Amino acid sequence: MDHNALRRIPALKDSSSAELSLLAAYAKTKKYGPGESLVSMADETSRLQIITAGYVKVHRTSVKGDEIIVAIRTVGDFLGELSVLDGQPPIADVTALDSVNVIELSSESVRALLSQNPKIIVSILVSRLREATITVSEMATRTLEQRAAALLCSLARRHGAEVRNGIELPPIFTSVVIASLVGNSKEEVSRTLSKFRKRGYIQRGARAKQIVIEDFSALDDLGSN
């Protein structure tokens, strides 16, 4: 496996060549098509996956039968890290939104890496723990407008494409997805996005449900407060 592909993963960028060689020795590559399941809550075996191309949704089903999108993951993100460590079933399903490539490690491979060079696995866990801590903090201390603004700016930095009138988000980030990611109802988030449009922060993109961030600076200031 190409070491450069592994080094492009943020959590592994400071790893040595020897550490990447060790990881590459255990890793396999796998491809998924749109709509295919990468992880199921019914899975009896666990594995760690690192996304190298494409988008996936992490989702659960509510008691009413509604889909709740927990997260959107893409290049450099990890899947299944908890299950490979504690042996418990996955806490959510993961489905490909487009063509997805992953680097995959079995639970046995992860345990072998832990015994030979724990730094690699610790780097992965620390990156996810930091992300989870930030998310919990924002949910507890920020208003819906602040969280929505911060999320849109984060998505723009990571996934946005510059267009004539601003920064365009991929079409997968609809108001329904935004609502799930900020933890509010679609109706509340739709009203918030409508306010942002009236203030000139965002506008509709080339497709009806696509979002273009027109005034990134103002939105960033709101999200940073």
Side-chain angles (χ1 to χ4, degrees):
M1 181 176 295
D2 181 10
H3 287 191
N4 290 328
L6 293 172
R7 199 176 292 282
R8 284 194 291 270
I9 298 167
L12 301 176
K13 63 182 177 64
D14 295 324
S15 299
S16 67
S17 295
E19 289 167 339
L20 294 179
S21 293
L22 182 61
L23 178 59
Y26 286 101
K28 298 179 180 179
T29 59
K30 198 166 183 179
K31 297 183 178 182
Y32 296 86
E36 282 195 78
S37 173
L38 284 78
V39 178
S40 168
M41 293 175 67
D43 286 345
E44 295 183 358
T45 58
S46 55
R47 57 202 176 278
L48 172 66
Q49 295 174 312
I50 308 170
I51 303 173
T52 57
Y55 289 90
V56 304
K57 63 178 178 180
V58 182
H59 57 105
R60 294 174 60 94
T61 302
S62 73
V63 292
K64 295 181 180 179
D66 299 322
E67 180 184 64
I68 301 171
I69 299 176
V70 179
I72 300 292
R73 302 290 184 201
T74 189
V75 177
D77 287 331
F78 299 88
L79 304 169
E81 68 277 7
L82 293 180
S83 292
V84 297
L85 292 176
D86 66 11
Q88 297 299 310
I91 59 175
D93 298 315
V94 180
T95 304
L97 293 173
D98 56 5
S99 297
V100 174
N101 297 341
V102 301
I103 296 169
E104 189 170 286
L105 295 162
S106 66
S107 57
E108 293 79 12
S109 295
V110 171
R111 285 193 287 270
L113 282 169
L114 275 172
S115 65
Q116 295 177 57
N117 193 324
K119 179 184 173 183
I120 300 173
I121 303 302
V122 169
S123 297
I124 293 171
L125 295 178
V126 167
S127 67
R128 181 53 59 82
L129 179 60
R130 182 178 292 111
E131 177 188 342
T133 301
I134 292 172
T135 299
V136 171
S137 174
E138 289 183 346
M139 289 289 288
T141 61
R142 291 184 168 188
T143 66
L144 171 56
E145 283 197 11
Q146 289 173 322
R147 285 185 280 117
L151 175 64
L152 289 173
C153 288
S154 175
L155 295 176
R157 290 188 183 98
R158 187 169 188 189
H159 311 292
E162 289 191 14
V163 293
R164 178 182 55 81
N165 52 345
I167 304 173
E168 188 174 64
L169 299 183
I172 60 170
F173 293 109
T174 63
S175 59
V176 175
V177 172
I178 299 295
S180 290
L181 295 179
V182 298
N184 284 78
S185 70
K186 178 188 174 184
E187 291 73 23
E188 289 175 310
V189 170
S190 292
R191 286 195 291 270
T192 298
L193 295 180
S194 179
K195 291 178 184 178
F196 288 174
R197 279 191 289 269
K198 289 178 181 177
R199 296 174 194 170
Y201 296 169
I202 66 173
Q203 60 177 276
R204 289 185 173 87
R207 303 182 188 182
K209 296 182 179 181
Q210 209 160 357
I211 296 173
V212 172
I213 297 176
E214 192 169 34
D215 192 341
F216 181 90
S217 179
L219 205 61
D220 195 34
D221 286 344
L222 175 60
S224 300
N225 290 335

